[in-house]
Amino acid sequence: MKRTFLTLAAAVIALLIALPLSPAFAEDAYVPYPAPKAAVSDDGTIYLRPAPTRDTEGAVKLRHMEGKTVSALGSDPSGKYLYIEYEGKKGFVRAKDFELADSAASPSPAVSTANVSYFGAAKTGISGDSAIYMRTSPNIPEKPAKSDSNVARKIKKARGASFKLLGEAGDWYYAEYDGTKGFVKKADFTIQEQNANANAGTSGADGAGRLNRPTSGATETGHGAESEKWGSIKIPGAKTYTIYGNYTNSAGTKYYYAAENLKGHYEYVHTLTAKGSQVHSVLGHNVRSGKGKYFHNLHHVQNALIGKSRCESCGASCGSKFRTTSITMKLDGYKKWDIMCLYEIAPNQSTSILAYNARPWKTSTSSYVSTQLNYAGTSGLKGWINPDVTYSDGGKYAMLITCGDKYENNSNATSKLYVLLKARD
């Protein structure tokens, strides 16, 4: 009887060892935050682990997660793993795959600005480093163990990102990025100069866009240089794509990304406008030809907002996941952009409207936005206007322009759908 009991006990212990951690065990393995924090995924595939280890056995695989926000409940003692909750599921994820944002219940450390010499007008600084630490004071603590003690925020994958530089203090800039202010090292940044070839519009305070490079005498660039990767955009139902900039053909007349040429068929997303522009033109070329392709899914968003259930081109459902009024786009220091209005153009209008919408430097911001709202309110253009987003003089805007559709009945069609965005403050 005794041997039978011991054998049974050993079997129970072996079973417990083999089983993954239950929620009770898992929750004992992390240090909870005073209040949950928002964390944004930098990776497309995330493993929700039962324990804070590298092992993914028993983990829940979450797909298409890049840019999505989860609730971080705490971290393991090492800080390498976050304990999160997402859509009712809880588990451990690698901290390096997430950008942790401070919640209202856990505000950023106070920043001391006593020694800041403010610029007359904010400048745009382009990060040359892959990680930027925004600090609460213009110094790094001497003891290595405390080197992160005055960090207000760490920005991952920051190379090429635009920061608003408000002033300076010695070897530091006082900067703002995505709502966070702090000190950054001058050595990590280059100043984005104003484009001398740009037309600032009707007034300096209301100039829409600036060219990202001259329209003539330019040389072809491309082939994957980090300096050309100006941002990224995520459309519901499609993967995240890079926004390229600063490239033309050798004559300076066509804008494209050379390395994307596959047997003569270009597919790319790029901007014609310079960093720091008040209005950006973000174009997709040959990127609306099928479900899940780049800007094609913008049409699904359009249909969902105007009450159409299916896509005319691919026949797919335009259901609840497309019923959104915001777009995730990392550009010029902003992440979230609200849809202000959208519309399709009528036959025989492609050439004239594209020429206007792709060149915001030809007008003022107020005139540009007013024109878009008028188009969106015109009957028959499948337009939609967001009543909760209004024009402001200091607002930041972006026009998303799609390529022509296979069901477009005009041989001159070079664009079809226009979506005007406004960056969140």
Side-chain angles (χ1 to χ4, degrees), residues 169-314:
D171 295 330
W172 301 78
Y173 287 124
Y174 181 52
E176 181 176 0
Y177 181 83
D178 193 27
T180 300
K181 294 180 180 179
F183 292 91
V184 296
K185 292 190 294 183
K186 285 184 176 180
D188 292 336
F189 287 84
T190 57
I191 301 295
Q192 176 72 42
E193 299 295 340
Q194 295 289 319
N195 193 322
N197 292 25
N199 183 332
T202 56
S203 70
D206 193 22
R210 296 180 288 110
L211 279 168
N212 67 11
R213 63 181 299 164
T215 56
S216 63
T219 56
E220 181 179 333
T221 60
H223 312 294
E226 285 294 324
S227 61
E228 294 163 0
K229 298 177 182 179
W230 287 7
S232 62
I233 186 166
K234 169 68 176 175
I235 307 300
K239 64 179 289 187
T240 300
Y241 289 96
T242 298
I243 298 173
Y244 294 104
N246 198 35
Y247 48 89
T248 67
N249 63 354
S250 58
T253 57
K254 294 181 180 179
Y255 292 74
Y256 65 92
Y257 183 59
E260 293 288 327
N261 181 12
L262 302 176
K263 297 182 179 179
H265 183 72
Y266 293 104
E267 290 188 352
Y268 53 87
V269 177
H270 67 102
T271 176
L272 295 179
T273 39
K275 291 178 181 177
S277 291
Q278 191 173 4
V279 178
H280 277 288
S281 287
V282 181
L283 286 72
H285 182 55
N286 289 339
V287 294
R288 196 170 173 241
S289 59
K291 181 175 61 175
K293 290 287 294 286
Y294 295 25
F295 283 5
H296 173 85
N297 282 24
L298 272 178
H299 185 56
H300 293 192
V301 172
Q302 176 198 24
N303 279 345
L305 291 176
I306 66 176
K308 291 180 68 69
S309 61
R310 291 201 171 271
C311 174
E312 301 94 321
S313 177
C314 71

Side-chain angles (χ1 to χ4, degrees), residues 370-424:
S370 177
T371 298
Q372 309 310 324
L373 292 172
N374 287 336
Y375 278 130
T378 301
S379 176
L381 299 186
K382 292 181 63 179
W384 181 83
I385 297 175
N386 190 343
D388 298 323
V389 181
T390 57
Y391 173 79
S392 59
D393 287 335
K396 187 90 166 182
Y397 305 89
M399 173 58 75
L400 305 184
I401 303 175
T402 69
C403 191
D405 301 295
K406 65 181 181 181
Y407 56 88
E408 169 64 70
N409 59 4
N410 173 24
S411 61
N412 291 324
T414 52
S415 61
K416 178 72 172 180
L417 176 64
Y418 297 92
V419 182
L420 182 65
L421 309 178
K422 183 180 181 181
R424 292 185 187 174

Side-chain angles (χ1 to χ4, degrees), residues 7-23:
T7 302
L8 179 62
V12 170
I13 292 172
L15 179 62
L16 289 175
I17 293 174
L19 288 174
L21 284 179
S22 68

